[in-house]
Amino acid sequence: MSFTLTLRAGLAPRLASQFAKPSTAMRAFHQSAKQNTFFTSRTALNTKNSSSNILARLQGSSRSYQQQSGYAYYDPAARRKEAIRKLVIGGAIFGGTLVAVNVMFNGESREGGMPTFERKYLNQTFLHTGLGVGIIGMTAYQMLQSGFVYRLMQTNPWVVGIGGLALSIGSMMATRSVDPDNYVPKYAFWTLFNATQAAFVAPLMVMAPPALLARAGLYTIAMMGSISIVGATAKQDKYLYIGGPLLAGAAIVAVSGFAPLVLPATAVRTLAVTENIWLWGGLAVFGGFTLYDVQKVLHHARMAERGLIKRDPVNESISLELDFLNIFVRMVQILMMQQRRK
């Protein structure tokens, strides 16, 4: 009995307080009936909240834009100093590479200088190489602006890789097979070859910022320029023997490039080794190919002077273009890796 009395005594104040409260619940019930939310979308229920949130975001973004607009201004003097600094760095890299390669590979320089015919033929080859690299850069930029790169990246990578490789090799073989006196088909196939190379280079413009691409191009020009000077001033046919070892090294680099497609993702150490072979081994191999190709151009110049072959700077420039692209791609990848580590 005492238990029941105690329970009632505990409930009595609560019941009294509930009945003593004003009937706000009943007024709210009569004033606003409960809506049927079964057929009502959530967006319709949250229209007012979402509109206010959107307005708040827009106001916040406009304020942040106004606040940060002052930081987007760059001093012209600072820009000039930055450009001068980059030029000094590029010149130092070029000079250092030239001195290092000269000390390592060019102990015996050519006596008497380069003959006029060889110098003209080498200059024409470098001119066509520069034009080819320019065509590749402009074509890749147009592919990026037209959206062709995005459509290319959305397709099957095997189809793009195999099809692009077949088209690249086919256009290169067609360019080499055409007689140099037939200017129109020769330059047409050469332009097609450069366009196929642009399709391979264009995705880099999406992944890498323009400043990084400019740095990679500057480093590539410094590396190839210094090695070309060494090859041009070395003794005749001094480095033609390295063609076979370089071809074997290029095969190893190519196999290491296909390693991520074959090896599982758990083989972390093996993939790291293959990546280093692809990057640093590729730089060494294609730097050697630059040296070999310059010596080969001079050898062909002497043969053309004797009438054994025809002058064909277009064919000679293809090899140097491939060297430039392979070194440039690896430079971009190395700079991107360094930027991620910062």
Side-chain angles (χ1 to χ4, degrees):
M1 188 67 180
S2 61
F3 178 77
T4 55
L5 287 174
T6 305
L7 180 64
R8 289 177 183 177
L11 287 176
R14 296 180 184 178
L15 293 174
S17 62
Q18 288 182 1
F19 284 107
K21 290 181 180 178
S23 58
T24 56
M26 296 185 64
R27 285 198 301 268
F29 177 80
H30 289 291
Q31 291 175 1
S32 60
K34 185 178 181 180
Q35 296 180 357
N36 186 11
T37 60
F38 186 79
F39 296 101
T40 307
S41 63
R42 294 181 180 179
T43 56
L45 292 174
N46 299 327
T47 305
K48 184 179 294 184
N49 294 330
S50 62
S51 61
S52 61
N53 291 333
I54 291 172
L55 289 174
R57 290 177 183 177
L58 290 175
Q59 292 175 358
S61 62
S62 63
R63 287 195 299 268
S64 62
Y65 175 76
Q66 292 174 359
Q67 292 172 0
Q68 296 178 1
S69 62
Y71 297 100
Y73 174 75
Y74 294 97
D75 189 9
R79 286 188 175 184
R80 286 194 296 270
K81 290 181 180 179
E82 184 70 17
I84 293 172
R85 186 181 69 84
K86 291 181 179 179
L87 288 175
V88 170
I89 292 175
I93 293 173
F94 178 77
T97 308
L98 179 59
V99 171
V101 176
N102 261 312
V103 171
M104 293 176 61
F105 298 104
N106 204 7
E108 298 179 359
S109 299
R110 179 183 298 190
E111 297 179 359
M114 187 184 301
T116 305
F117 188 85
E118 294 182 17
R119 185 174 64 252
K120 289 182 179 180
Y121 192 71
L122 186 61
N123 290 335
Q124 290 178 0
T125 302
F126 283 147
L127 177 62
H128 283 81
T129 303
L131 289 175
V133 172
I135 292 172
I136 291 171
M138 289 187 295
T139 307
Y141 180 75
Q142 291 298 324
M143 288 180 179
L144 181 65
Q145 294 295 320
S146 62
F148 177 77
V149 178
Y150 301 100
R151 293 192 296 269
L152 194 67
M153 295 173 67
Q154 290 176 356
T155 56
N156 192 345
W158 287 101
V159 175
V160 173
I162 295 175
L165 187 62
L167 186 59
S168 176
I169 295 174
S171 59
M172 181 178 64
M173 294 177 63
T175 305
R176 292 184 181 276
S177 62
V178 175
D179 190 88
D181 295 331
N182 298 329
Y183 296 105
V184 176
K186 185 79 172 179
Y187 282 94
F189 284 122
W190 182 60
T191 305
L192 178 61
F193 167 75
N194 292 327
T196 57
Q197 302 308 307
F200 287 112
V201 177
L204 287 177
M205 294 185 175
V206 180
M207 296 181 289
L212 191 143
L213 294 175
R215 286 176 58 195
L218 182 64
Y219 296 162
T220 305
I221 293 172
M223 180 177 175
M224 286 194 64
S226 58
I227 295 175
S228 299
I229 292 175
V230 172
T233 56
K235 294 180 67 175
Q236 293 181 357
D237 303 339
K238 182 179 180 180
Y239 296 108
L240 291 181
Y241 72 94
I242 64 175
L246 288 174
L247 189 60
I252 295 174
V253 171
V255 171
S256 66
F258 288 106
L261 300 177
V262 180
L263 297 176
T266 54
V268 180
R269 293 183 179 179
T270 307
L271 290 174
V273 171
T274 56
E275 185 179 6
N276 289 328
I277 293 174
W278 167 260
L279 291 177
W280 302 106
L283 279 180
V285 167
F286 289 103
F289 265 118
T290 303
L291 188 64
Y292 170 78
D293 290 332
V294 170
Q295 290 256 295
K296 186 179 67 174
V297 169
L298 297 176
H299 179 70
H300 289 171
R302 291 189 293 270
M303 293 178 65
E305 188 179 11
R306 292 194 296 266
L308 300 177
I309 60 174
K310 290 186 177 182
R311 296 163 50 98
D312 198 349
V314 175
N315 284 357
E316 306 291 350
S317 66
I318 290 176
S319 301
L320 291 172
E321 285 180 33
L322 293 176
D323 297 338
F324 182 90
L325 292 178
N326 281 281
I327 294 174
F328 175 74
V329 169
R330 284 160 177 82
M331 285 289 185
V332 171
Q333 292 177 349
I334 291 171
L335 292 177
M336 289 177 67
M337 290 173 59
Q338 292 178 353
Q339 192 174 15
R340 292 193 199 103
R341 291 171 184 172
K342 292 180 180 180

